[in-house]
Amino acid sequence: MEFSFGIPTKIYFGKDCIAKNAGVLAAVGSKAMIVTGKHSAKASGALDDVTAVLEAKKKEYVIFDEIENNPSVETVAKAADIARAEKIDFVIGIGGGSPIDASKAIAVLAANADMAVTDLFKNAFTKALPIVGVPTTAGTGSEATPYSVLLRKDMQTKVSFGTKDTYPVYAFVDAKYTYSLGKGSTISTAVDAFTHAFEGYLANRSTVISDSFATTAIKAFGKSMRKLARFELDEADRENLMLVSLLGGIIISQTGVTIAHGMGYCYTYFKGIPHGAANGLIMREYMKLNYDVAKDKIDNALSLLGCESIDEFADILAEMLGQPPKLTEEEIELYTKLTQIQKGSMANTPHKIDAEVIKGLWSSIS
Ligand code: NAP
Ligand code: FE
C-alpha cells in the first residue's frame, strides 16, 4: 500500500454555511472579484448571501457575470484584465463548474501579469490569488478540485489545467442553492458527480482512501437515483446529491478522471450536450469495456447502487438522459482523433486504451 492524500481546501458544508462563517469568508482578502454566469448566482440566492457578508464586513467587490457554460479562454482573459485593473486580491466563484473553473483561471492570470492565457495549460505558474468556491449545482465538485476546464476553439475541445495553487482555499457548500435548478440541469450535473465517484473508483490512480470516499459517494447516489430520474427530490435528496458532488470532487482531485470524461468533451463540443449528460451517455459501454479488468469494483458499485447488472443501471441513466446521438462514420473518426488528446484520461483507465479501443467505444455507443 502506497499513497498520498490531501487537499488544501477547507470545506464548510450545510445550510446557511456562508452566513454562519462570515468572518472566514471576509478574512480572505480586502477586494474580491465575484465570478458568475448570467442568472444562476442571483436566482440561487448565493450571490446575495456572499455580498451580504462582504458588505457587512466592509469589503469591496466587483462582479464579473459573463461566464458562459463551458467557459472559454477568451472570457477568462477578459475577466483577468478587469481583475488586474481593479486590483482585486481574491476571487469568489459562484455557480456551477463553469464559473468556479473560470475563477481559478482568473486567479492565476491576475497574479501573473504577463502570462498568456494559453500558458495556463503548461501548469508552470507558481502563484494565484486565493479562490473561494460556492457551488450552485450538485455536479462538478470544482469547489474541492484544482482543475479548471476551459474551451479551446483552436483545438476543438476542452482542456484542463490545475496545480496545488488552484485549489479553492475555502468551499462553502450549501444544498439550498440547488433548489432553483430545473430537471435537466439537476440530472445532468448529478450524473457528472456520479461519474467522478465511479471513474475515480476505477482509476489506475485510485487509492484505499479515495476508494472509501468513492464507495460512500456511489452508495449515496444510489439512494437518490430513482427519485432523481422522476425528478421527485426533497431537501434531503438535494443535500445527499450535494454530498456526492463534493466527494466526487475530492476523489478526482486525487485520482483524476478516465476515458469517459475524455470522450464526453466531444459530445459537449460538437453536439452541445451538457457535460454530465455527455459522460452519462458513455457509461454503459465504458462499464462493459472495463468489466474484464475491474470486475470486483464494478460489481461492488452495482451492488451499492442497488442494481443487478450494468444494463439495469445504464437503463436508469437512459431514463434520465435519453439515448446517445447517432454518429456518422466521419464523426466517429473525428471523435476518435480528438479523444486521443486526453492522454491523462487514457492512461488512467483500467482497460488499456488506444486508438482502436476508442474507435470501438464510439462505434458501439452510437
Ligand atoms: P454550468 O456550466 O456551471 O452551468 C450550467 C447551467 O446551469 C448554466 O446555465 C447556469 O446558469 C445554470 N445554473 C447553475 N446553477 C443553477 C441554479 N442553482 N439554479 C438555476 N440554474 C443554475 O454547469 P456545471 O455542470 O456545474 O459545470 C460544467 C462545467 O464544469 C464544464 O465546463 C465542465 O467541463 C466543468 N467541470 C469541472 C470539473 C472540475 O473538477 N473543475 C469537473 C467536472 C466538470 P448561469 O449561466 O446563469 O450560471
Ligand atoms: Fe466532470
PDB file of all heavy atoms in Angstrom, residues 37-40 44 69-71 96-99 101 104 136-137 140 142 145 147 149 158 177-178 180-181 185 189 192 196 252 261 265 275, ligand 1:
ATOM      1  N   GLY A  37     -22.077  33.271 -13.723  1.00  0.00           N
ATOM      2  CA  GLY A  37     -22.766  33.274 -15.002  1.00  0.00           C
ATOM      3  C   GLY A  37     -23.813  34.377 -14.992  1.00  0.00           C
ATOM      4  O   GLY A  37     -23.847  35.217 -14.089  1.00  0.00           O
ATOM      5  N   LYS A  38     -24.690  34.335 -15.970  1.00  0.00           N
ATOM      6  CA  LYS A  38     -25.647  35.440 -16.123  1.00  0.00           C
ATOM      7  C   LYS A  38     -26.718  35.482 -15.035  1.00  0.00           C
ATOM      8  O   LYS A  38     -27.038  36.549 -14.502  1.00  0.00           O
ATOM      9  CB  LYS A  38     -26.338  35.339 -17.500  1.00  0.00           C
ATOM     10  CG  LYS A  38     -25.680  36.193 -18.582  1.00  0.00           C
ATOM     11  CD  LYS A  38     -26.109  37.666 -18.505  1.00  0.00           C
ATOM     12  CE  LYS A  38     -25.174  38.634 -19.154  1.00  0.00           C
ATOM     13  NZ  LYS A  38     -23.910  38.963 -18.480  1.00  0.00           N
ATOM     14  N   HIS A  39     -27.309  34.317 -14.709  1.00  0.00           N
ATOM     15  CA  HIS A  39     -28.505  34.367 -13.855  1.00  0.00           C
ATOM     16  C   HIS A  39     -28.426  33.580 -12.549  1.00  0.00           C
ATOM     17  O   HIS A  39     -29.011  33.975 -11.553  1.00  0.00           O
ATOM     18  CB  HIS A  39     -29.730  33.841 -14.633  1.00  0.00           C
ATOM     19  CG  HIS A  39     -29.923  34.514 -15.947  1.00  0.00           C
ATOM     20  ND1 HIS A  39     -30.317  35.830 -16.061  1.00  0.00           N
ATOM     21  CD2 HIS A  39     -29.747  34.066 -17.219  1.00  0.00           C
ATOM     22  CE1 HIS A  39     -30.382  36.167 -17.342  1.00  0.00           C
ATOM     23  NE2 HIS A  39     -30.038  35.122 -18.069  1.00  0.00           N
ATOM     24  N   SER A  40     -27.736  32.442 -12.593  1.00  0.00           N
ATOM     25  CA  SER A  40     -27.962  31.480 -11.509  1.00  0.00           C
ATOM     26  C   SER A  40     -27.428  31.940 -10.151  1.00  0.00           C
ATOM     27  O   SER A  40     -27.990  31.571  -9.122  1.00  0.00           O
ATOM     28  CB  SER A  40     -27.361  30.128 -11.875  1.00  0.00           C
ATOM     29  OG  SER A  40     -25.957  30.223 -11.917  1.00  0.00           O
ATOM     30  N   SER A  44     -30.178  31.576  -7.363  1.00  0.00           N
ATOM     31  CA  SER A  44     -29.988  30.565  -6.316  1.00  0.00           C
ATOM     32  C   SER A  44     -29.944  31.182  -4.920  1.00  0.00           C
ATOM     33  O   SER A  44     -30.037  30.472  -3.927  1.00  0.00           O
ATOM     34  CB  SER A  44     -28.674  29.826  -6.569  1.00  0.00           C
ATOM     35  OG  SER A  44     -27.585  30.739  -6.458  1.00  0.00           O
ATOM     36  N   ASN A  69     -21.564  28.825 -20.180  1.00  0.00           N
ATOM     37  CA  ASN A  69     -21.412  27.381 -19.940  1.00  0.00           C
ATOM     38  C   ASN A  69     -20.202  26.943 -20.753  1.00  0.00           C
ATOM     39  O   ASN A  69     -20.060  27.360 -21.902  1.00  0.00           O
ATOM     40  CB  ASN A  69     -22.621  26.603 -20.459  1.00  0.00           C
ATOM     41  CG  ASN A  69     -23.895  26.969 -19.728  1.00  0.00           C
ATOM     42  OD1 ASN A  69     -23.846  27.635 -18.707  1.00  0.00           O
ATOM     43  ND2 ASN A  69     -25.021  26.537 -20.253  1.00  0.00           N
ATOM     44  N   ASN A  70     -19.360  26.113 -20.190  1.00  0.00           N
ATOM     45  CA  ASN A  70     -18.111  25.719 -20.856  1.00  0.00           C
ATOM     46  C   ASN A  70     -17.277  26.979 -21.134  1.00  0.00           C
ATOM     47  O   ASN A  70     -17.145  27.416 -22.272  1.00  0.00           O
ATOM     48  CB  ASN A  70     -18.374  24.959 -22.167  1.00  0.00           C
ATOM     49  CG  ASN A  70     -19.343  23.811 -21.956  1.00  0.00           C
ATOM     50  OD1 ASN A  70     -19.081  22.948 -21.148  1.00  0.00           O
ATOM     51  ND2 ASN A  70     -20.464  23.832 -22.653  1.00  0.00           N
ATOM     52  N   PRO A  71     -16.718  27.569 -20.085  1.00  0.00           N
ATOM     53  CA  PRO A  71     -16.033  28.865 -20.227  1.00  0.00           C
ATOM     54  C   PRO A  71     -14.844  28.809 -21.190  1.00  0.00           C
ATOM     55  O   PRO A  71     -14.124  27.817 -21.239  1.00  0.00           O
ATOM     56  CB  PRO A  71     -15.548  29.159 -18.804  1.00  0.00           C
ATOM     57  CG  PRO A  71     -15.581  27.861 -18.083  1.00  0.00           C
ATOM     58  CD  PRO A  71     -16.654  27.048 -18.713  1.00  0.00           C
ATOM     59  N   GLY A  96     -22.191  26.974 -11.126  1.00  0.00           N
ATOM     60  CA  GLY A  96     -21.838  25.607 -11.435  1.00  0.00           C
ATOM     61  C   GLY A  96     -20.343  25.540 -11.667  1.00  0.00           C
ATOM     62  O   GLY A  96     -19.580  26.472 -11.357  1.00  0.00           O
ATOM     63  N   GLY A  97     -19.920  24.446 -12.271  1.00  0.00           N
ATOM     64  CA  GLY A  97     -18.499  24.261 -12.538  1.00  0.00           C
ATOM     65  C   GLY A  97     -17.944  25.357 -13.423  1.00  0.00           C
ATOM     66  O   GLY A  97     -16.762  25.721 -13.282  1.00  0.00           O
ATOM     67  N   SER A  98     -18.761  25.894 -14.310  1.00  0.00           N
ATOM     68  CA  SER A  98     -18.217  26.877 -15.256  1.00  0.00           C
ATOM     69  C   SER A  98     -17.664  28.118 -14.543  1.00  0.00           C
ATOM     70  O   SER A  98     -16.488  28.460 -14.730  1.00  0.00           O
ATOM     71  CB  SER A  98     -19.279  27.255 -16.302  1.00  0.00           C
ATOM     72  OG  SER A  98     -19.587  26.115 -17.077  1.00  0.00           O
ATOM     73  N   PRO A  99     -18.455  28.818 -13.724  1.00  0.00           N
ATOM     74  CA  PRO A  99     -17.880  29.986 -13.021  1.00  0.00           C
ATOM     75  C   PRO A  99     -16.779  29.618 -12.025  1.00  0.00           C
ATOM     76  O   PRO A  99     -15.810  30.373 -11.869  1.00  0.00           O
ATOM     77  CB  PRO A  99     -19.085  30.605 -12.305  1.00  0.00           C
ATOM     78  CG  PRO A  99     -20.272  30.141 -13.066  1.00  0.00           C
ATOM     79  CD  PRO A  99     -19.922  28.756 -13.543  1.00  0.00           C
ATOM     80  N   ASP A 101     -14.641  27.042 -12.209  1.00  0.00           N
ATOM     81  CA  ASP A 101     -13.435  26.775 -13.017  1.00  0.00           C
ATOM     82  C   ASP A 101     -12.844  28.082 -13.543  1.00  0.00           C
ATOM     83  O   ASP A 101     -11.623  28.288 -13.512  1.00  0.00           O
ATOM     84  CB  ASP A 101     -13.771  25.887 -14.223  1.00  0.00           C
ATOM     85  CG  ASP A 101     -13.942  24.418 -13.841  1.00  0.00           C
ATOM     86  OD1 ASP A 101     -13.968  24.116 -12.637  1.00  0.00           O
ATOM     87  OD2 ASP A 101     -14.047  23.594 -14.763  1.00  0.00           O
ATOM     88  N   LYS A 104     -10.722  30.045 -11.147  1.00  0.00           N
ATOM     89  CA  LYS A 104      -9.350  29.551 -10.949  1.00  0.00           C
ATOM     90  C   LYS A 104      -8.419  30.147 -12.008  1.00  0.00           C
ATOM     91  O   LYS A 104      -7.297  30.573 -11.707  1.00  0.00           O
ATOM     92  CB  LYS A 104      -9.333  28.021 -11.015  1.00  0.00           C
ATOM     93  CG  LYS A 104     -10.155  27.365  -9.900  1.00  0.00           C
ATOM     94  CD  LYS A 104     -10.289  25.859 -10.107  1.00  0.00           C
ATOM     95  CE  LYS A 104     -11.217  25.243  -9.066  1.00  0.00           C
ATOM     96  NZ  LYS A 104     -11.492  23.826  -9.320  1.00  0.00           N
ATOM     97  N   THR A 136     -23.439  26.086  -6.983  1.00  0.00           N
ATOM     98  CA  THR A 136     -24.907  26.172  -7.090  1.00  0.00           C
ATOM     99  C   THR A 136     -25.458  25.007  -7.895  1.00  0.00           C
ATOM    100  O   THR A 136     -26.643  24.952  -8.177  1.00  0.00           O
ATOM    101  CB  THR A 136     -25.350  27.505  -7.738  1.00  0.00           C
ATOM    102  OG1 THR A 136     -24.878  27.514  -9.106  1.00  0.00           O
ATOM    103  CG2 THR A 136     -24.813  28.716  -7.002  1.00  0.00           C
ATOM    104  N   THR A 137     -24.572  24.104  -8.317  1.00  0.00           N
ATOM    105  CA  THR A 137     -25.014  22.825  -8.893  1.00  0.00           C
ATOM    106  C   THR A 137     -24.415  21.723  -8.022  1.00  0.00           C
ATOM    107  O   THR A 137     -23.380  21.930  -7.386  1.00  0.00           O
ATOM    108  CB  THR A 137     -24.513  22.624 -10.342  1.00  0.00           C
ATOM    109  OG1 THR A 137     -23.082  22.585 -10.361  1.00  0.00           O
ATOM    110  CG2 THR A 137     -24.993  23.720 -11.274  1.00  0.00           C
ATOM    111  N   THR A 140     -20.035  19.207 -10.348  1.00  0.00           N
ATOM    112  CA  THR A 140     -18.616  19.096 -10.682  1.00  0.00           C
ATOM    113  C   THR A 140     -17.720  18.866  -9.462  1.00  0.00           C
ATOM    114  O   THR A 140     -16.660  18.293  -9.593  1.00  0.00           O
ATOM    115  CB  THR A 140     -18.107  20.368 -11.386  1.00  0.00           C
ATOM    116  OG1 THR A 140     -18.098  21.430 -10.433  1.00  0.00           O
ATOM    117  CG2 THR A 140     -18.979  20.744 -12.558  1.00  0.00           C
ATOM    118  N   SER A 142     -16.123  21.166  -8.291  1.00  0.00           N
ATOM    119  CA  SER A 142     -14.990  22.046  -8.609  1.00  0.00           C
ATOM    120  C   SER A 142     -14.509  22.833  -7.390  1.00  0.00           C
ATOM    121  O   SER A 142     -13.346  23.228  -7.324  1.00  0.00           O
ATOM    122  CB  SER A 142     -15.392  23.009  -9.742  1.00  0.00           C
ATOM    123  OG  SER A 142     -14.340  23.870 -10.076  1.00  0.00           O
ATOM    124  N   THR A 145     -11.592  20.824  -6.100  1.00  0.00           N
ATOM    125  CA  THR A 145     -10.548  20.316  -7.012  1.00  0.00           C
ATOM    126  C   THR A 145      -9.649  21.475  -7.455  1.00  0.00           C
ATOM    127  O   THR A 145     -10.046  22.635  -7.401  1.00  0.00           O
ATOM    128  CB  THR A 145     -11.123  19.678  -8.306  1.00  0.00           C
ATOM    129  OG1 THR A 145     -11.501  20.704  -9.242  1.00  0.00           O
ATOM    130  CG2 THR A 145     -12.308  18.777  -8.031  1.00  0.00           C
ATOM    131  N   TYR A 147      -8.813  21.662 -10.572  1.00  0.00           N
ATOM    132  CA  TYR A 147      -8.967  21.674 -12.029  1.00  0.00           C
ATOM    133  C   TYR A 147      -9.811  22.831 -12.528  1.00  0.00           C
ATOM    134  O   TYR A 147     -10.792  23.238 -11.902  1.00  0.00           O
ATOM    135  CB  TYR A 147      -9.615  20.377 -12.529  1.00  0.00           C
ATOM    136  CG  TYR A 147      -8.945  19.139 -12.009  1.00  0.00           C
ATOM    137  CD1 TYR A 147      -9.685  18.162 -11.343  1.00  0.00           C
ATOM    138  CD2 TYR A 147      -7.579  18.939 -12.164  1.00  0.00           C
ATOM    139  CE1 TYR A 147      -9.072  17.022 -10.835  1.00  0.00           C
ATOM    140  CE2 TYR A 147      -6.964  17.805 -11.669  1.00  0.00           C
ATOM    141  CZ  TYR A 147      -7.717  16.854 -10.996  1.00  0.00           C
ATOM    142  OH  TYR A 147      -7.115  15.735 -10.491  1.00  0.00           O
ATOM    143  N   VAL A 149     -11.501  23.621 -16.334  1.00  0.00           N
ATOM    144  CA  VAL A 149     -11.685  23.073 -17.685  1.00  0.00           C
ATOM    145  C   VAL A 149     -12.148  24.214 -18.590  1.00  0.00           C
ATOM    146  O   VAL A 149     -13.192  24.819 -18.339  1.00  0.00           O
ATOM    147  CB  VAL A 149     -12.740  21.942 -17.693  1.00  0.00           C
ATOM    148  CG1 VAL A 149     -12.741  21.233 -19.046  1.00  0.00           C
ATOM    149  CG2 VAL A 149     -12.493  20.941 -16.579  1.00  0.00           C
ATOM    150  N   LYS A 158     -12.124  20.742 -25.057  1.00  0.00           N
ATOM    151  CA  LYS A 158     -11.904  21.388 -23.772  1.00  0.00           C
ATOM    152  C   LYS A 158     -10.617  20.837 -23.179  1.00  0.00           C
ATOM    153  O   LYS A 158     -10.322  19.660 -23.314  1.00  0.00           O
ATOM    154  CB  LYS A 158     -13.095  21.092 -22.859  1.00  0.00           C
ATOM    155  CG  LYS A 158     -14.368  21.703 -23.407  1.00  0.00           C
ATOM    156  CD  LYS A 158     -15.577  21.255 -22.644  1.00  0.00           C
ATOM    157  CE  LYS A 158     -15.638  21.932 -21.300  1.00  0.00           C
ATOM    158  NZ  LYS A 158     -16.935  21.629 -20.631  1.00  0.00           N
ATOM    159  N   TYR A 177     -28.777  26.165  -2.481  1.00  0.00           N
ATOM    160  CA  TYR A 177     -28.539  26.885  -3.743  1.00  0.00           C
ATOM    161  C   TYR A 177     -28.925  26.059  -4.969  1.00  0.00           C
ATOM    162  O   TYR A 177     -28.996  26.608  -6.064  1.00  0.00           O
ATOM    163  CB  TYR A 177     -27.070  27.320  -3.852  1.00  0.00           C
ATOM    164  CG  TYR A 177     -26.621  28.243  -2.744  1.00  0.00           C
ATOM    165  CD1 TYR A 177     -25.371  28.103  -2.157  1.00  0.00           C
ATOM    166  CD2 TYR A 177     -27.464  29.253  -2.268  1.00  0.00           C
ATOM    167  CE1 TYR A 177     -24.956  28.944  -1.137  1.00  0.00           C
ATOM    168  CE2 TYR A 177     -27.057  30.084  -1.234  1.00  0.00           C
ATOM    169  CZ  TYR A 177     -25.815  29.925  -0.667  1.00  0.00           C
ATOM    170  OH  TYR A 177     -25.419  30.753   0.359  1.00  0.00           O
ATOM    171  N   THR A 178     -29.134  24.765  -4.797  1.00  0.00           N
ATOM    172  CA  THR A 178     -29.517  23.937  -5.961  1.00  0.00           C
ATOM    173  C   THR A 178     -31.031  23.816  -6.124  1.00  0.00           C
ATOM    174  O   THR A 178     -31.494  23.221  -7.090  1.00  0.00           O
ATOM    175  CB  THR A 178     -28.917  22.508  -5.867  1.00  0.00           C
ATOM    176  OG1 THR A 178     -29.489  21.827  -4.733  1.00  0.00           O
ATOM    177  CG2 THR A 178     -27.401  22.540  -5.720  1.00  0.00           C
ATOM    178  N   SER A 180     -33.104  25.881  -7.073  1.00  0.00           N
ATOM    179  CA  SER A 180     -33.615  26.580  -8.262  1.00  0.00           C
ATOM    180  C   SER A 180     -33.223  25.893  -9.571  1.00  0.00           C
ATOM    181  O   SER A 180     -33.584  26.358 -10.650  1.00  0.00           O
ATOM    182  CB  SER A 180     -33.098  28.030  -8.265  1.00  0.00           C
ATOM    183  OG  SER A 180     -31.688  28.048  -8.154  1.00  0.00           O
ATOM    184  N   LEU A 181     -32.492  24.781  -9.490  1.00  0.00           N
ATOM    185  CA  LEU A 181     -32.058  24.076 -10.711  1.00  0.00           C
ATOM    186  C   LEU A 181     -33.209  23.244 -11.264  1.00  0.00           C
ATOM    187  O   LEU A 181     -33.832  22.478 -10.527  1.00  0.00           O
ATOM    188  CB  LEU A 181     -30.932  23.102 -10.361  1.00  0.00           C
ATOM    189  CG  LEU A 181     -29.481  23.440 -10.617  1.00  0.00           C
ATOM    190  CD1 LEU A 181     -28.635  22.225 -10.237  1.00  0.00           C
ATOM    191  CD2 LEU A 181     -29.218  23.831 -12.055  1.00  0.00           C
ATOM    192  N   SER A 185     -30.934  20.178 -15.807  1.00  0.00           N
ATOM    193  CA  SER A 185     -29.634  20.532 -15.222  1.00  0.00           C
ATOM    194  C   SER A 185     -29.364  19.736 -13.951  1.00  0.00           C
ATOM    195  O   SER A 185     -28.217  19.357 -13.685  1.00  0.00           O
ATOM    196  CB  SER A 185     -29.582  22.018 -14.871  1.00  0.00           C
ATOM    197  OG  SER A 185     -29.899  22.778 -15.986  1.00  0.00           O
ATOM    198  N   THR A 189     -26.052  17.379 -13.969  1.00  0.00           N
ATOM    199  CA  THR A 189     -24.980  17.667 -13.012  1.00  0.00           C
ATOM    200  C   THR A 189     -24.811  16.519 -12.005  1.00  0.00           C
ATOM    201  O   THR A 189     -23.690  16.171 -11.649  1.00  0.00           O
ATOM    202  CB  THR A 189     -25.217  19.009 -12.290  1.00  0.00           C
ATOM    203  OG1 THR A 189     -26.554  19.030 -11.779  1.00  0.00           O
ATOM    204  CG2 THR A 189     -25.052  20.183 -13.225  1.00  0.00           C
ATOM    205  N   ASP A 192     -22.843  13.841 -13.558  1.00  0.00           N
ATOM    206  CA  ASP A 192     -21.422  14.218 -13.558  1.00  0.00           C
ATOM    207  C   ASP A 192     -20.789  13.828 -12.220  1.00  0.00           C
ATOM    208  O   ASP A 192     -19.724  13.213 -12.171  1.00  0.00           O
ATOM    209  CB  ASP A 192     -21.294  15.725 -13.803  1.00  0.00           C
ATOM    210  CG  ASP A 192     -19.851  16.182 -13.995  1.00  0.00           C
ATOM    211  OD1 ASP A 192     -19.040  15.386 -14.493  1.00  0.00           O
ATOM    212  OD2 ASP A 192     -19.552  17.343 -13.654  1.00  0.00           O
ATOM    213  N   HIS A 196     -17.712  11.149 -11.528  1.00  0.00           N
ATOM    214  CA  HIS A 196     -16.454  11.442 -10.823  1.00  0.00           C
ATOM    215  C   HIS A 196     -16.169  10.344  -9.800  1.00  0.00           C
ATOM    216  O   HIS A 196     -15.051   9.836  -9.702  1.00  0.00           O
ATOM    217  CB  HIS A 196     -16.512  12.796 -10.116  1.00  0.00           C
ATOM    218  CG  HIS A 196     -16.632  13.941 -11.063  1.00  0.00           C
ATOM    219  ND1 HIS A 196     -17.091  15.161 -10.686  1.00  0.00           N
ATOM    220  CD2 HIS A 196     -16.375  14.030 -12.394  1.00  0.00           C
ATOM    221  CE1 HIS A 196     -17.092  15.976 -11.736  1.00  0.00           C
ATOM    222  NE2 HIS A 196     -16.672  15.299 -12.784  1.00  0.00           N
ATOM    223  N   ILE A 252     -11.696  13.007  -7.432  1.00  0.00           N
ATOM    224  CA  ILE A 252     -10.917  13.224  -8.669  1.00  0.00           C
ATOM    225  C   ILE A 252      -9.733  14.157  -8.434  1.00  0.00           C
ATOM    226  O   ILE A 252      -8.786  14.149  -9.219  1.00  0.00           O
ATOM    227  CB  ILE A 252     -11.774  13.681  -9.869  1.00  0.00           C
ATOM    228  CG1 ILE A 252     -12.460  15.013  -9.623  1.00  0.00           C
ATOM    229  CG2 ILE A 252     -12.724  12.586 -10.295  1.00  0.00           C
ATOM    230  CD1 ILE A 252     -13.086  15.612 -10.896  1.00  0.00           C
ATOM    231  N   HIS A 261     -14.729  10.717 -19.251  1.00  0.00           N
ATOM    232  CA  HIS A 261     -14.650  12.184 -19.308  1.00  0.00           C
ATOM    233  C   HIS A 261     -13.924  12.637 -20.571  1.00  0.00           C
ATOM    234  O   HIS A 261     -14.330  13.598 -21.214  1.00  0.00           O
ATOM    235  CB  HIS A 261     -13.942  12.734 -18.069  1.00  0.00           C
ATOM    236  CG  HIS A 261     -14.898  13.228 -17.014  1.00  0.00           C
ATOM    237  ND1 HIS A 261     -15.669  12.394 -16.268  1.00  0.00           N
ATOM    238  CD2 HIS A 261     -15.199  14.480 -16.604  1.00  0.00           C
ATOM    239  CE1 HIS A 261     -16.406  13.105 -15.444  1.00  0.00           C
ATOM    240  NE2 HIS A 261     -16.143  14.383 -15.615  1.00  0.00           N
ATOM    241  N   TYR A 265     -16.117  15.185 -23.746  1.00  0.00           N
ATOM    242  CA  TYR A 265     -15.876  16.530 -24.273  1.00  0.00           C
ATOM    243  C   TYR A 265     -16.295  16.646 -25.744  1.00  0.00           C
ATOM    244  O   TYR A 265     -16.720  17.707 -26.197  1.00  0.00           O
ATOM    245  CB  TYR A 265     -14.402  16.926 -24.102  1.00  0.00           C
ATOM    246  CG  TYR A 265     -13.956  17.008 -22.663  1.00  0.00           C
ATOM    247  CD1 TYR A 265     -12.706  16.555 -22.267  1.00  0.00           C
ATOM    248  CD2 TYR A 265     -14.795  17.542 -21.683  1.00  0.00           C
ATOM    249  CE1 TYR A 265     -12.298  16.628 -20.936  1.00  0.00           C
ATOM    250  CE2 TYR A 265     -14.391  17.604 -20.355  1.00  0.00           C
ATOM    251  CZ  TYR A 265     -13.147  17.146 -19.990  1.00  0.00           C
ATOM    252  OH  TYR A 265     -12.756  17.217 -18.673  1.00  0.00           O
ATOM    253  N   HIS A 275     -22.159  18.706 -19.948  1.00  0.00           N
ATOM    254  CA  HIS A 275     -21.010  17.891 -19.521  1.00  0.00           C
ATOM    255  C   HIS A 275     -21.407  16.576 -18.831  1.00  0.00           C
ATOM    256  O   HIS A 275     -20.944  15.500 -19.211  1.00  0.00           O
ATOM    257  CB  HIS A 275     -20.130  18.756 -18.612  1.00  0.00           C
ATOM    258  CG  HIS A 275     -19.041  18.007 -17.953  1.00  0.00           C
ATOM    259  ND1 HIS A 275     -17.937  17.569 -18.636  1.00  0.00           N
ATOM    260  CD2 HIS A 275     -18.886  17.584 -16.666  1.00  0.00           C
ATOM    261  CE1 HIS A 275     -17.143  16.920 -17.805  1.00  0.00           C
ATOM    262  NE2 HIS A 275     -17.685  16.921 -16.606  1.00  0.00           N
TER     263      HIS A 275
HETATM  264  P1  NAP B   1     -22.506  25.128 -15.508  1.00  0.00           P
HETATM  265  O1  NAP B   1     -21.973  25.116 -16.904  1.00  0.00           O
HETATM  266  O2  NAP B   1     -21.724  25.835 -14.487  1.00  0.00           O
HETATM  267  O3  NAP B   1     -23.998  25.679 -15.508  1.00  0.00           O
HETATM  268  C1  NAP B   1     -24.948  25.126 -16.390  1.00  0.00           C
HETATM  269  C2  NAP B   1     -26.219  25.964 -16.391  1.00  0.00           C
HETATM  270  O4  NAP B   1     -26.900  25.812 -15.137  1.00  0.00           O
HETATM  271  C3  NAP B   1     -25.975  27.443 -16.570  1.00  0.00           C
HETATM  272  O5  NAP B   1     -26.914  27.927 -17.487  1.00  0.00           O
HETATM  273  C4  NAP B   1     -26.196  28.031 -15.196  1.00  0.00           C
HETATM  274  O6  NAP B   1     -26.702  29.350 -15.245  1.00  0.00           O
HETATM  275  C5  NAP B   1     -27.256  27.097 -14.651  1.00  0.00           C
HETATM  276  N1  NAP B   1     -27.284  27.027 -13.189  1.00  0.00           N
HETATM  277  C6  NAP B   1     -26.232  26.789 -12.352  1.00  0.00           C
HETATM  278  N2  NAP B   1     -26.681  26.747 -11.067  1.00  0.00           N
HETATM  279  C7  NAP B   1     -28.010  26.990 -11.101  1.00  0.00           C
HETATM  280  C8  NAP B   1     -29.021  27.089 -10.092  1.00  0.00           C
HETATM  281  N3  NAP B   1     -28.762  26.875  -8.795  1.00  0.00           N
HETATM  282  N4  NAP B   1     -30.281  27.388 -10.495  1.00  0.00           N
HETATM  283  C9  NAP B   1     -30.576  27.570 -11.813  1.00  0.00           C
HETATM  284  N5  NAP B   1     -29.664  27.474 -12.813  1.00  0.00           N
HETATM  285  C10 NAP B   1     -28.400  27.180 -12.453  1.00  0.00           C
HETATM  286  O7  NAP B   1     -22.756  23.596 -15.092  1.00  0.00           O
HETATM  287  P2  NAP B   1     -21.912  22.513 -14.327  1.00  0.00           P
HETATM  288  O8  NAP B   1     -22.347  21.209 -14.858  1.00  0.00           O
HETATM  289  O9  NAP B   1     -21.950  22.733 -12.864  1.00  0.00           O
HETATM  290  O10 NAP B   1     -20.398  22.774 -14.785  1.00  0.00           O
HETATM  291  C11 NAP B   1     -19.930  22.265 -16.001  1.00  0.00           C
HETATM  292  C12 NAP B   1     -18.528  22.748 -16.241  1.00  0.00           C
HETATM  293  O11 NAP B   1     -17.648  22.259 -15.228  1.00  0.00           O
HETATM  294  C13 NAP B   1     -17.986  22.210 -17.555  1.00  0.00           C
HETATM  295  O12 NAP B   1     -17.220  23.201 -18.199  1.00  0.00           O
HETATM  296  C14 NAP B   1     -17.117  21.038 -17.132  1.00  0.00           C
HETATM  297  O13 NAP B   1     -16.109  20.718 -18.066  1.00  0.00           O
HETATM  298  C15 NAP B   1     -16.554  21.560 -15.831  1.00  0.00           C
HETATM  299  N6  NAP B   1     -16.105  20.504 -14.880  1.00  0.00           N
HETATM  300  C16 NAP B   1     -15.128  20.853 -13.997  1.00  0.00           C
HETATM  301  C17 NAP B   1     -14.643  19.915 -13.098  1.00  0.00           C
HETATM  302  C18 NAP B   1     -13.570  20.292 -12.131  1.00  0.00           C
HETATM  303  O14 NAP B   1     -13.035  19.444 -11.442  1.00  0.00           O
HETATM  304  N7  NAP B   1     -13.211  21.543 -12.035  1.00  0.00           N
HETATM  305  C19 NAP B   1     -15.176  18.635 -13.060  1.00  0.00           C
HETATM  306  C20 NAP B   1     -16.193  18.331 -13.964  1.00  0.00           C
HETATM  307  C21 NAP B   1     -16.649  19.283 -14.841  1.00  0.00           C
HETATM  308  P3  NAP B   1     -25.744  30.646 -15.289  1.00  0.00           P
HETATM  309  O15 NAP B   1     -25.099  30.680 -16.631  1.00  0.00           O
HETATM  310  O16 NAP B   1     -26.664  31.775 -15.055  1.00  0.00           O
HETATM  311  O17 NAP B   1     -24.719  30.490 -14.188  1.00  0.00           O
END
